[in-house]
Amino acid sequence: MTSVHDIITADPAASCDVELVKGPWEFDTIPGYGPGCSEDDVIPEPVVRPGQLPAAYQKMSDDELHARIRAAKETLGNKLVILGHFYQRDEVIQHADFVGDSFQLANAALTMPDAEAIVFCGVHFMAETADILARPEQHVILPNLAAGCSMADMADEDTVEACWEELMDIYGSEPDADGKQPVIPVTYMNSSAALKAFCGRNGGIVCTSSNASTVLEWAFERGQRVLFFPDQHLGRNTAKAMGITMDQMPMWNPRKPLGGHTEEVLLDAKVLLWHGFCSVHKRFTVGQIKKAREEFPGVKIIVHPEAPMPVVDAADASGSTDAIRKFVEASQPGDTIAIGTEVNMVNRLAAEYPDRTIFCLDPVVCPCSTMYRIHPGYLAWTLDGLVEGEIRNEIIVDGDTATYAKVALERMLSALPKAAPVIGD
Ligand code: 13P
Ligand code: SF4
């Protein structure tokens, strides 16, 4: 199988960033490089500096790294579990014990009580979630601390708290005659533990792209409206599918008083959207969908709900990464499927189902550059550490943050995803 890295290495100009061919450690000393700092995104401040990968690991051949990873797994046995998100590179996924979407990986952290170490091949907010849900004795490790999520960094605790205060001034904090709260905070899984804790403290909940509609239903049973952050697109796509109109979902601009709206608009609102977005999924366009339909009559198109609303509307279906996997699984030999999500996942599905034509809607090879920072070199280094009794790159969420974030996450875990879309729906 030709991995995304092989494709990019063969022709760096075919990718969205020629620098992707380099080892992620080559950027560790560049000012501003750090969690969430992704292609074309504003670098969040203050940036947490990742530690440097030791030179010996930077120089190792791929074969040597894979052999080390396999040997460490053999030695550690069931004391170790490696979780991998669908967007990870093939070179990393081949070592994962469990591969899934962010909802499944959060559950997986709960169901591996024997593992002393959970090595999370994904991004920072996923590892934080695993740490909150895991037993206190378990260690959660993120092989490269620079693997953040640029969207998660688009909502920070101070700004959300300031927004909340303004909303409380308008809505008050008392429930209405039906017992419904004025506003329920809902944070997408792609957010810091601090924001999950904010939701836990304020009667709110976490959602993932797989259970967002179940979560919004949960919220509307308890509240008159929802503050949804950080992803405007997931919020808009999910609310629209529930029949909420555009004028009932204003976008909150934290740089403007009242988010840039009048009191009337905010009082009429059903869903207040944050201004966050994913730099990978905002690349998908209606033009790409039109082109795919012209070139491949009968093509079925599925996109992730982080894509903008016109793209979701123009596609045949939308769903979480696992819903996309299931959509492909339920297709028939000979089918053509165009997918609007991260390219590592799309290319892996194409290799898994060679009797179907499967391709990414984006003609440019553009992996999630922060997920891509988990390189086998970091995996080998953290696993060797465990073999030597040293815990490297541990993610620890402690104190009240973990307690309240767990409240919001446990609410989320009981909000089950609805059935995934299938071809013909
Ligand atoms: P899933 O919850 O669908 O795995 O998505 C996570 C993500 O980061 C998508 O960009
Ligand atoms: Fe974050 Fe987008 Fe990467 Fe998902 S694909 S981890 S939302 S930057």
Side-chain angles (χ1 to χ4, degrees):
M1 179 163 91
T2 313
S3 75
V4 167
H5 191 70
D6 294 336
I7 297 167
I8 292 176
T9 311
D11 180 11
S15 74
C16 55
D17 183 356
V18 290
E19 305 259 288
L20 287 169
V21 290
K22 294 186 183 168
W25 51 85
E26 301 211 26
F27 303 95
D28 282 349
T29 53
I30 296 175
Y33 179 82
C37 165
S38 177
E39 207 216 0
D40 294 336
D41 294 327
V42 177
I43 297 160
E45 291 292 345
V47 168
V48 182
R49 303 296 308 173
Q52 279 240 283
L53 183 69
Y57 287 85
Q58 297 179 18
K59 290 186 200 126
M60 277 178 205
S61 69
D62 291 349
D63 287 348
E64 202 176 340
L65 289 172
H66 291 307
R68 287 189 93 96
I69 295 167
R70 280 194 292 270
K73 283 189 73 172
E74 183 79 32
T75 307
L76 294 162
N78 61 6
K79 288 186 191 158
L80 164 76
V81 64
I82 302 181
L83 303 182
H85 187 266
F86 286 124
Y87 293 169
Q88 288 287 298
R89 313 165 171 239
D90 293 341
E91 296 81 6
V92 166
I93 283 294
Q94 63 179 282
H95 299 295
D97 299 302
F98 185 85
V99 181
D101 69 9
S102 57
F103 183 84
Q104 294 167 323
L105 293 174
N107 263 310
L110 273 174
T111 51
M112 313 273 180
D114 294 337
E116 289 169 21
I118 300 173
V119 174
F120 210 118
C121 296
V123 286
H124 193 268
F125 71 81
M126 296 179 180
E128 276 190 333
T129 300
D131 182 58
I132 293 162
L133 295 173
R135 285 186 297 110
E137 315 79 66
Q138 290 179 299
H139 302 284
V140 175
I141 290 166
L142 181 64
N144 181 356
L145 294 177
C149 163
S150 51
M151 176 211 282
D153 288 342
M154 289 176 190
D156 66 86
E157 197 184 2
D158 289 349
T159 322
V160 172
E161 288 276 8
C163 161
W164 191 251
E165 270 179 37
E166 286 193 80
L167 294 180
M168 289 301 108
D169 286 346
I170 296 173
Y171 301 142
S173 52
E174 295 303 314
D176 66 8
D178 297 327
K180 291 193 176 185
Q181 296 299 326
V183 56
I184 302 282
V186 177
T187 189
Y188 187 24
M189 182 66 112
N190 301 34
S191 60
S192 66
L195 286 179
K196 293 183 176 83
F198 171 88
C199 289
R201 272 196 306 273
N202 291 291
I205 186 168
V206 180
C207 77
T208 70
S209 56
S210 63
N211 67 359
S213 58
T214 316
V215 165
L216 280 196
E217 283 164 14
W218 180 99
F220 281 116
E221 277 161 22
R222 289 158 180 80
Q224 300 158 49
R225 51 183 84 71
V226 161
L227 171 64
F228 190 97
F229 44 86
D231 187 21
Q232 57 172 291
H233 300 298
L234 178 66
R236 191 177 291 115
N237 289 322
T238 312
K240 186 181 176 218
M242 293 172 76
I244 296 172
T245 56
M246 290 306 120
D247 56 328
Q248 291 175 309
M249 35 176 139
M251 190 151 66
W252 183 270
N253 181 342
R255 284 176 293 276
K256 294 190 175 166
L258 296 185
H261 301 286
T262 60
E263 273 198 34
E264 290 70 47
V265 168
L266 296 178
L267 284 165
D268 285 347
K270 295 298 284 175
V271 178
L272 291 151
L273 299 169
W274 203 253
H275 64 311
F277 59 86
C278 165
S279 48
V280 176
H281 290 92
K282 81 168 184 196
R283 294 176 59 90
F284 297 110
T285 65
V286 175
Q288 291 166 355
I289 293 183
K290 278 193 186 139
K291 189 163 176 282
R293 293 203 195 281
E294 274 160 27
E295 284 177 18
F296 299 93
V299 62
K300 294 294 170 201
I301 298 173
I302 183 162
V303 300
H304 195 278
E306 287 175 13
M309 190 183 71
V311 175
V312 169
D313 289 349
D316 298 304
S318 74
S320 75
T321 47
D322 191 56
I324 293 172
R325 184 192 64 77
K326 289 192 176 113
F327 188 85
V328 172
E329 194 181 57
S331 66
Q332 297 300 314
D335 281 346
T336 301
I337 305 165
I339 303 179
T341 200
E342 208 269 355
V343 66
N344 276 288
M345 177 176 176
V346 179
N347 286 10
R348 198 172 306 124
L349 285 170
E352 224 177 296
Y353 294 91
D355 55 1
R356 285 144 236 217
T357 304
I358 297 171
F359 61 94
C360 184
L361 275 175
D362 187 354
V364 177
V365 182
C366 192
C368 166
S369 59
T370 48
M371 285 269 181
Y372 213 55
R373 291 175 186 170
I374 307 288
H375 179 282
Y378 292 93
L379 185 55
W381 174 65
T382 46
L383 294 187
D384 282 351
L386 287 173
V387 171
E388 290 157 24
E390 190 188 329
I391 296 165
R392 297 172 176 153
N393 287 6
E394 186 169 11
I395 299 294
I396 302 175
V397 182
D398 52 16
D400 277 359
T401 305
T403 307
Y404 285 108
K406 195 168 183 179
V407 170
L409 280 165
E410 283 175 345
R411 287 176 184 145
M412 179 205 81
L413 288 171
S414 43
L416 293 181
K418 298 201 168 146
V422 287
I423 285 185
D425 267 5

